[in-house]
Amino acid sequence: MTDDTPTGHTPSPRRRTRTTVTFGAALLLTAGLTLAGCASTSASVSTATATTAATATRTATAAATTDSTAGTIADTTAAADAFLATLTDEQRDAVLYAYDDATKTTSWSNFPVTFVQRAGLNLADLTEEQQTAALAVLESLLSDEAYATVVGIMGGDEYLHENSSSTESSLGQYYIAFFGDPSDTNAWSVQFGGRHLGINADLNGTDNAITFAPTHLGVQPAVYTNADGEEVQPFDGIYTDAFAFFDSLTAEQQTTLTSGDVTMCAPGDECDYSSGAGLTGADLTGAQKQLLLALIANWAGMADDETNAAALAKIEATLDDTVIAWSGETTYDMSTGDGISFSISGPNVYIAFQAQRGSAGADVAGVSTSGWGHVHTIYRDPTNDYANRVTQQAASGMAGGPGN
């Protein structure tokens, strides 16, 4: 196809918040998030906790505001050290693992924590001060938009915990773990996750590199109202980018795309990175490639500008050999149909986005908790999962495709 990239059009590797919930509102959402756990005294993230987390992070990083990989590593290391300083010796032992511990590969999943035990400390068992410090680690690591998305995902889980018929007591529980000692020179990893979230970030100051493969982002429900009466739609940005790409295609390209094979690599499990049939990057115009990269950036572009640009450049280099497949609806209208599924499989990227055909018992009157309203996604790098420092072990829980 011809390379007709429109003048001035490039996907921003680190786009600021564009979702229904603004970044500021996301912090307020986190403020109302009660972390349901099994501690003798119920722990919660209060308004003061979330506000303090944001303020403390910005104060600590005021001298390192350059949007660079080195700056992010330094900021996240400082936040991690501050979090560790709030812990008891027993808690420090529980949160710290060897950098190459294979537990890293089996302690994240798209299944509840009652099915697959997460590594590290449950935020529900921490004091408000410790919760504040833990969230500051995540905020230091992620871009504003990625952090808002993560907070929206967490808020959705808590919304279900409070309003649905679900008997799943683990909704609203999130764990944090470090693999290796936090350092702005030596390599180490941050793992954070729960029911619909699994972040594995590797930070390497020596190589000046941050990677996020593998990562699991999920959402249920797709839209909900938070405690302040604000509508929250955590995946609006992803849906908007997905349909911007789909709508850019010709009728012939759309036929090829929708007749392909949508594949799924289960979170927390081994993966053969199957591509199957579909539309290839070589079939796209320059403008269409940029729209595809903008979609991929929702997973591969979760940090600072320099880190995201490096990740997307690597993916773009082999985009012609990348296969994209799509099934489900062809218009962004969550009032009809059962949602969409797609996969993007290439030498340097694997993304699967799947609407779950079931609510998993999380029904709420008048709220979609299946199809459009229940999505699991997975992002992996076939050449660099876990920064190539540990091999994926077989999952300790069940596989996770549609319906889970």
Side-chain angles (χ1 to χ4, degrees):
M1 306 291 290
T2 59
D3 185 11
D4 59 348
T5 305
T7 302
H9 176 84
T10 56
S12 173
R14 178 178 178 168
R15 293 158 297 149
R16 298 301 173 183
T17 304
R18 178 207 48 204
T19 50
T20 300
V21 59
T22 65
F23 181 58
L27 289 176
L28 292 175
L29 174 63
T30 307
L33 186 63
T34 299
L35 299 174
C38 55
S40 57
T41 301
S42 178
S44 66
V45 179
S46 65
T47 301
T49 301
T51 303
T52 303
T55 302
T57 300
R58 292 192 176 94
T59 300
T61 62
T65 55
T66 55
D67 210 4
S68 67
T69 302
T72 300
I73 292 174
D75 294 346
T76 308
T77 299
D81 285 339
F83 169 60
L84 291 173
T86 70
L87 304 180
T88 65
D89 289 344
E90 182 179 4
Q91 288 173 320
R92 285 175 62 94
D93 288 342
V95 81
L96 288 169
Y97 294 75
Y99 177 57
D100 56 358
D101 193 320
T103 301
K104 184 188 300 183
T105 73
T106 59
S107 56
W108 64 280
S109 176
N110 61 333
F111 275 82
V113 300
T114 48
F115 286 30
V116 179
Q117 179 62 47
R118 273 41 168 198
L121 293 172
N122 188 339
L123 266 65
D125 296 332
L126 304 182
T127 67
E128 185 174 301
E129 176 192 11
Q130 292 168 334
Q131 290 177 1
T132 299
L135 289 173
V137 175
L138 204 60
E139 189 182 10
S140 297
L141 172 67
L142 301 175
S143 69
D144 289 354
E145 185 176 60
Y147 185 67
T149 298
V150 165
V151 169
I153 290 170
M154 295 169 67
D157 276 0
E158 183 56 26
Y159 175 87
L160 293 178
H161 182 71
E162 294 180 349
N163 297 286
S164 77
S165 60
S166 174
T167 58
E168 180 44 64
S169 62
S170 71
L171 281 171
Q173 293 189 44
Y174 298 92
Y175 286 73
I176 186 169
F178 300 149
F179 291 82
D181 294 323
S183 169
D184 56 10
T185 54
N186 297 326
W188 64 290
S189 302
V190 177
Q191 188 175 88
F192 186 93
R195 173 66 169 100
H196 287 108
L197 183 64
I199 291 175
N200 292 285
D202 188 90
L203 300 85
N204 190 324
T206 299
D207 294 342
N208 195 43
I210 302 173
T211 64
F212 284 91
T215 284
H216 162 55
L217 303 178
V219 67
Q220 187 185 28
V223 185
Y224 61 93
T225 301
N226 68 15
D228 294 319
E230 299 166 324
E231 184 179 87
V232 182
Q233 191 172 343
F235 272 20
D236 179 56
I238 296 177
Y239 276 126
T240 298
D241 288 342
F243 280 94
F245 169 70
F246 185 90
D247 292 341
S248 75
L249 303 177
T250 65
E252 181 180 359
Q253 287 174 317
Q254 289 179 351
T255 297
T256 302
L257 179 75
T258 56
S259 62
D261 303 316
V262 176
T263 63
M264 180 64 181
C265 175
D269 205 352
E270 298 166 309
C271 187
D272 61 5
Y273 305 108
S274 173
S275 58
L279 190 68
T280 68
D283 299 326
L284 304 177
T285 66
Q288 291 167 342
K289 288 179 179 179
Q290 294 305 307
L291 290 171
L292 178 60
L293 287 170
L295 173 58
I296 292 170
N298 286 281
W299 293 267
M302 295 178 67
D304 57 85
D305 286 346
E306 181 184 1
T307 299
N308 299 345
L312 293 173
K314 176 183 173 184
I315 294 168
E316 185 175 17
T318 56
L319 204 59
D320 283 355
D321 300 318
T322 297
V323 178
I324 314 100
W326 179 293
S327 66
E329 310 308 317
T330 58
T331 57
Y332 185 11
D333 181 358
M334 289 193 292
S335 67
T336 62
D338 293 320
I340 62 171
S341 295
F342 63 81
S343 57
I344 303 169
S345 183
N348 292 314
V349 63
Y350 180 86
I351 293 171
F353 180 106
Q354 293 222 355
Q356 305 296 292
R357 295 190 297 272
S359 67
D363 297 303
V364 180
V367 177
S368 174
T369 57
S370 176
W372 287 102
H374 189 190
V375 177
H376 291 180
T377 80
I378 179 69
Y379 162 60
R380 302 186 75 155
D381 182 344
T383 67
N384 202 36
D385 266 0
Y386 306 104
N388 278 331
R389 290 300 298 266
V390 61
T391 301
Q392 178 70 57
Q393 308 296 306
S396 56
M398 295 183 286
N404 296 302

